[in-house]
Amino acid sequence: MGLWGGDNGTEVTEFILLGFSGFGFLQGHLFWGVLCIYVVTLLGNSLIIVLTIADSALHSPMYFFLRHFSLVEILYTTTIVPKMLADLQSSCPTISRASCFTQLYFFALFGIAECCLLTAMAYDRYAAICCPLHYATLMNQGTCASMVGVSYLAGIITGTTHSVFIFTLPFHGNNIIHHFLCDILPVLRLASASTFWGEVGNLFVTVTFIFMPFSLIVASYVCILVTILGVATSQGRQKIFSTCSSHLFVVILFFGTATVAYLRPQADSLGETDQILSIFYTVVTPMCNPFVYTLRNKEVTGAMRRLMKRYLWGS
């Protein structure tokens, strides 16, 4: 097999990732930028996990979901970033067929889990604000655990279905992926056989796990907005809004970039603008989660102060 694509009859054993070929001398700067963002993502999301476990004031459904969301953010970026950093240092980045399968599987798994967890968090806010008298019943421990379990299960099923289907197809000749990771459509469209059912399946997943969750989240916030408008005092409205603003910001950031990324035409052949967008939703967005939930949340900042006081100052 040649470096830039094999002969038509040659079975592809590795792929070439051309995601950063258009950045030229900027690759070095991009390497350090991505590395810094990755370190901040790991530290920030790990802090949220530690705080929501260690501080009893954060043992509520809202922070139970946030803990799992932070865990998924760590795993999601770890699926992508280490390989991205290695490729930024390489003149000809390649990935083996087995590694591509693994990356695609976990990328789909954790991406779908994120969508589902954000929806569960929206329902939790809806139940707390719109149904406060029944909140303890609606969001009991078993219900919360089940919602998290379904989120992971949906990711596992989707990741398994897509990755197994795609990599049972024959790949001959063309082995160039115009992306910096093994995403579903860029890999699928390299197959030598018909990709019709694969693209139908991808569309189904996009509608099911991007449009439907986003629609449910919007419906939840419409109900929340109606409730907020019905509160008599401005202080009451502000308190309700403060409990939702962090989640709403993350929802807009995540679903906004994901929608643009997966609904643009010719998603298998990315230009530099699309590459930057892809870097944003795969690398930058997970870093924002800790800042949004710590800087704008008095309960989390209070837990952080108590943790520092307990372990750093010994009092």
Side-chain angles (χ1 to χ4, degrees), residues 7-12 15 97 166 168-175 187-195:
D7 298 329
N8 289 336
T10 305
E11 181 72 17
V12 171
F15 298 96
R97 185 163 172 162
I166 290 172
T168 53
L169 295 173
F171 288 86
H172 298 289
N174 187 10
N175 67 332
V187 177
L188 178 65
R189 290 175 178 172
L190 293 181
S192 305
S194 172
T195 62

Side-chain angles (χ1 to χ4, degrees), residues 107-172:
F107 178 68
L109 191 164
F110 297 126
I112 296 302
E114 276 193 83
C115 294
C116 295
L117 285 171
L118 283 171
T119 308
M121 293 165 78
Y123 178 74
D124 171 68
R125 293 300 82 207
Y126 161 79
I129 295 169
C130 300
C131 310
L133 298 179
H134 302 286
Y135 180 70
T137 303
L138 292 173
M139 300 304 296
N140 59 60
Q141 189 174 359
T143 300
C144 294
S146 297
M147 293 172 79
V148 169
V150 168
S151 299
Y152 287 121
L153 182 61
I156 291 170
I157 292 173
T158 304
T160 302
T161 303
H162 273 299
S163 54
V164 170
F165 174 81
I166 290 172
F167 283 92
T168 53
L169 295 173
F171 288 86
H172 298 289

Side-chain angles (χ1 to χ4, degrees), residues 4-310:
W4 299 101
D7 298 329
N8 289 336
T10 305
E11 181 72 17
V12 171
T13 58
E14 67 177 16
F15 298 96
I16 298 168
L17 297 168
L18 290 187
F20 299 112
S21 60
F23 287 86
F25 70 94
L26 292 176
Q27 286 188 212
H29 300 289
L30 189 58
F31 172 86
W32 290 109
V34 170
L35 178 61
C36 291
I37 291 172
Y38 181 53
V39 171
V40 172
T41 299
L42 294 181
L43 293 177
N45 283 288
S46 296
L47 176 62
I48 288 179
I49 293 171
V50 170
L51 288 175
T52 56
I53 293 175
D55 198 295
S56 58
L58 302 183
H59 289 178
S60 65
M62 175 180 174
Y63 296 107
F64 175 74
F65 291 127
L66 178 58
R67 182 191 315 154
H68 283 276
F69 186 72
S70 295
L71 175 62
V72 169
E73 292 277 51
I74 291 173
L75 297 173
Y76 177 76
T77 53
T78 301
T79 299
I80 302 163
V81 175
K83 174 59 179 169
M84 182 190 299
L85 292 172
D87 290 345
L88 283 167
Q89 296 289 87
S90 173
S91 59
C92 182
T94 61
I95 185 170
S96 69
R97 185 163 172 162
S99 296
C100 190
F101 172 92
T102 303
Q103 187 181 63
L104 190 151
Y105 170 76
F106 285 109
F107 178 68
L109 191 164
F110 297 126
I112 296 302
E114 276 193 83
C115 294
C116 295
L117 285 171
L118 283 171
T119 308
M121 293 165 78
Y123 178 74
D124 171 68
R125 293 300 82 207
Y126 161 79
I129 295 169
C130 300
C131 310
L133 298 179
H134 302 286
Y135 180 70
T137 303
L138 292 173
M139 300 304 296
N140 59 60
Q141 189 174 359
T143 300
C144 294
S146 297
M147 293 172 79
V148 169
V150 168
S151 299
Y152 287 121
L153 182 61
I156 291 170
I157 292 173
T158 304
T160 302
T161 303
H162 273 299
S163 54
V164 170
F165 174 81
I166 290 172
F167 283 92
T168 53
L169 295 173
F171 288 86
H172 298 289
N174 187 10
N175 67 332
I176 299 173
I177 299 175
H178 295 273
H179 208 331
F180 55 79
L181 62 92
C182 289
D183 203 351
I184 293 170
L185 282 181
V187 177
L188 178 65
R189 290 175 178 172
L190 293 181
S192 305
S194 172
T195 62
F196 173 77
W197 289 112
E199 298 200 32
V200 169
N202 184 70
L203 179 62
F204 173 78
V205 168
T206 300
V207 171
T208 304
F209 293 108
I210 292 182
F211 279 115
M212 285 184 62
F214 185 70
S215 299
L216 291 172
I217 291 170
V218 169
S220 297
Y221 275 103
V222 168
C223 294
I224 289 170
L225 179 62
V226 171
T227 301
I228 291 175
L229 295 176
V231 174
T233 64
S234 59
Q235 185 178 3
R237 292 194 195 100
Q238 186 176 0
K239 184 178 180 181
I240 293 174
F241 180 76
S242 66
T243 64
C244 301
S245 58
S246 298
H247 176 257
L248 188 58
F249 179 82
V250 173
V251 165
I252 293 171
L253 199 62
F254 179 83
F255 282 100
T257 54
T259 299
V260 174
Y262 284 97
L263 292 182
R264 65 181 182 273
Q266 298 299 320
D268 59 330
S269 183
L270 308 184
E272 290 183 25
T273 302
D274 293 324
Q275 291 286 9
I276 293 171
L277 175 64
S278 297
I279 291 172
F280 190 85
Y281 81 82
T282 56
V283 180
V284 178
T285 301
M287 180 191 67
C288 296
N289 178 41
F291 291 102
V292 171
Y293 279 103
T294 54
L295 298 179
R296 297 180 57 84
N297 191 305
K298 292 181 179 179
E299 290 181 324
V300 176
T301 53
M304 194 183 308
R305 285 195 295 269
R306 289 191 292 272
L307 188 69
M308 292 174 65
K309 185 177 180 181
R310 185 188 312 167

